[in-house]
Each structure stands twice: as C-alpha cells, then as structure tokens.
Amino acid sequence: RTELVSLLSSAGGVATADELAALLLAARGSVEDSEIDRRRLASAVLRASIELEASASDTARFASYADQAPILVALSPELAAHAVALGAIADRMALEDPLPSPGRVEEELNLVAPPGGTALPPGRTLRLAAAASKSASLSARAELYPKGMSPATALRLSLGSLAGPRLLSEDAVRKRVKGRFPDAAQLPPRPDLDRLLDDVGAERIWSENDTEGRGYVSRNVTPSGSGSPSGVLRYGTLAAAPQATPEVLDARSLEEKIVGAGRSGAFLALTVDPRRAPRAEAELLRRFAPRERISLELLLLREMRAEAEARKVKWPVVLAADAEGHDGKGFRNLLRLATKAAERVLATLLALDRPALLVNPGLLARYDLMPMLTDLAQASGTRGGPPSLWVLVPQADEGMPMIDGASLPVMSAANWARLTDPWLANAHRAGGARSAA
C-alpha cells in the first residue's frame, strides 16, 4: 500500500483504477505470460490494497471514488474532483470538428487549477483528462478524439499514414489507422472499405494482380484509360498538349527547377498534397532515374534499435517512452537515444554515391532532429558529398516546407517547390513540349 501512495504521487496524486493497475504491474511485474491474466491479477491486488487502506479509517492515505466512471483512486477528494473536471473538458473537446490541437487542449485544461496550488507532472494533465473522461481518448499524436470515432473520420484523418508505400494490404490499412486512433470504430471489410477509401479521397484502389501481390495501390486514371498511379489525370508525352493556362506554364517552370536541381546536385525539398504523395514519389523516381528511394523513418528506426540494443534497453521500453510525449522523462531519454542513432543515419546519407529521394521524414521533427537536414542540404552536390538529395514532404498547404510544424532548412527559393496537379498530370510535357528529363 505504501508503494501505491508513491505511484499515485508520481501521477500527480490521482489516477484511474486502470492506470494505477498498469503502474503497479510495471513496477512489480508478473509471472503470468498472458496479458489478460497479468492485468486481471494487478487489478485484484489493487482492489485488495484499496480495501485494506479503507479499513484504516481516519488514517487512510488514499481511497477509491466509484460514484462516477471511470473509477478514480486519489490521495484526496479534491484531487479526484479535479480529475472529474478535466475529464468533462476532454469529453466536450473530443467532439469538436476538426479535432482540437494538443496545444489548445492543454491551454483549456490548464484553466482548471489543481487543488492546493499543486502542479501535475509535465504532460500528465492531458493524459489524466483523457483517462478520467467518459468518452474521450488520446491518439498517437496526443490528439483528443471520441472513442468509437466513425471509420470515415478516422480514415480521413489518417490519410498521411497511407502515403508512401506503393502497395498496402487490407490489414496494413487497418493497422495504420488503428495505430493513430486505437479506440476508433473498426474499419469495415472489403468491399465496403474500398468505397470508404474512395469517399475520403485516399486515391487508392484494390488490385488483385499487382506485381507485388494483392492490395491497395495508387489509383490509375488517365484520359486514354491506360495506367498511371494517381487520382490525377495524366497526359501522354506525345498526346495533344493542353491549353497553355497559367497552371500549365507554372508546371513548366517547376519542371525547369527540378531538372536544374538534378543537374547541379542542389538539395530540393518538394511538398505535395498528402493524397498525391504516392503518385509524386513514383513520378520522381521514374522520371529522374537512377535515384534511390530512402525512407528516413525506416533508416532512423533501424539505427535506434541498434543503439537500444547496445545500451541494453528493451524495445518495448523505447516504445513506451515514445508514447509519453515530449514532456515525459522517458521521452527525454528517448531523444538522447535518437540523437545518437541520428549520427549514424547522417553518416550513411553523407556517404551516398548516387542521387536519392528521401521520404517519410516525420520522425526527424518528432525527435528534434531537423538540423540533420541542414547538414544534408549543405553537403548535397558538393565534392565528397552525396550527388543529389531531394526530400518529399506530404503537406496539405502550399506554404514553406514544414514537418509536423517544424520548418525545413530551405536554403533559398531555389531549394524548394510545390508539386502541383498539372505537373503530376504531365501537362507541361504533353504535345512534345521540350523537357530536359
């Protein structure tokens, strides 16, 4: 029971029964192999401890508050009431459309001061609000969302996670959406899932005979009916040229910039609508070959695993630290591990002897590794550096390149561009328009 007091104190003096059982299990462990049995035994120990503490009458150090759901365990009634208030705010904000940003949620939660002027541990306010709520949950990006969120909404908000891979299995689509919104309603099976993907603009269709197997591939739509992996119409190079609208002229200027960067080896940050990212990736790799595709996410995770093994840190511990968010102590340790791993990632990229297209850069922003792109930008095309480095950034708006709110180290206007639908449609090259590629 004394250990429970300590665990509660570390959580700010109040936690749900489920949270406290999980903390107890993490602190004490279990000989059971089944996760269900482990949780069941931890909950039983917690209930017994609460009952024993209650028998202490006036000297009880903590108590459970079961007059609302979920059940709370707190060091004082005031702390339990504070958690209930936070949960009510979470329930309300989770229903907003669009979902409120984590920063705005934190601001509103902080308007409810903890009793006695005490402060909750960093990041705890948001987690406690979600845990103490009746119908809110936290996404992998620390967003409040309603439990049982509709499949359409969950899929629409997860479109960015579907960008990149050329082919995704039905199970992979489910895992990616569930990875961001674990408590959302389950996606429907095919063929309903096919229609849902189309409704939310995922630009993916089911293929039974793709060269890589069965799964969802980029949509093929062209004026002639021949294949082109995108929801954007694609003009054949020898087809009749479209009218020279300002958009088409802009696409020709964009082509010149990309071709010039390829020749000079200049670093290039290319933004594109997230729905068009797979098409853009395929177009860049096809048109400007030979250019190697390198996933920054996979490369960094591989080196982080190696660094964790070298430090004898189990990977589940790393994943738990990642889930804490930037304010958690474990996350700060994780940043040190990522920084060390990033040194080897940078060395690998600087040693490239062929042009490369860098994709999936999201973890660089999450782990405060954006300065790596500065080093890559300065080295690209120089003697002894990689011949040519481009980074593809899925981004909804047309502004300067950003990764999860962090700006890319663009050297000048010559080092970044927005891939537009006319460029993806090959409009700038139709009708035999001159192109250097």
Side-chain angles (χ1 to χ4, degrees), residues 316-328:
V317 175
V318 176
L319 296 179
D322 182 80
E324 289 184 7
H326 278 73
D327 294 326

Side-chain angles (χ1 to χ4, degrees), residues 186-243:
Q186 186 175 1
L187 295 180
R190 296 194 58 245
D192 290 341
L193 181 56
D194 303 353
R195 290 190 288 270
L196 191 60
L197 284 163
D198 186 58
D199 290 343
V200 301
E203 303 294 353
R204 282 187 178 267
I205 59 174
W206 182 261
S207 173
E208 291 283 348
N209 53 6
D210 187 78
T211 55
E212 296 182 15
R214 301 167 66 245
Y216 289 102
V217 296
S218 298
R219 182 184 300 277
N220 294 332
V221 182
T222 68
S224 63
S226 59
S228 174
S230 173
V232 180
L233 299 177
R234 191 177 198 281
Y235 295 89
T237 303
L238 299 180
Q243 183 180 358

Side-chain angles (χ1 to χ4, degrees), residues 172-194:
V173 171
R174 296 181 186 284
K175 287 182 177 178
R176 286 171 182 248
V177 175
K178 189 174 181 61
R180 180 166 177 186
F181 300 109
D183 292 327
Q186 186 175 1
L187 295 180
R190 296 194 58 245
D192 290 341
L193 181 56
D194 303 353

Side-chain angles (χ1 to χ4, degrees), residues 106-128:
E106 287 273 13
E107 288 178 3
E108 187 147 349
L109 293 175
N110 288 336
L111 295 177
V112 183
T118 59
L120 293 176
R124 176 59 181 158
T125 302
L126 181 58
R127 295 195 302 274
L128 178 59

Side-chain angles (χ1 to χ4, degrees), residues 61-91:
R61 293 165 292 180
F62 58 87
S64 67
Y65 298 85
D67 53 343
Q68 71 279 311
I71 296 173
L72 295 169
V73 183
L75 298 179
S76 72
E78 292 77 16
L79 286 170
H82 179 243
V84 171
L86 295 179
I89 294 174
D91 281 326

Side-chain angles (χ1 to χ4, degrees), residues 140 301 304-305 308 313-325 330-331 333-334 337 363 366-367:
L301 287 175
M304 288 176 64
R305 277 183 174 271
V313 177
K314 295 183 178 179
W315 193 244
V317 175
V318 176
L319 296 179
D322 182 80
E324 289 184 7
F331 195 90
N333 292 333
L334 174 59
L337 184 146
L363 290 185
R366 181 166 180 78
Y367 297 146

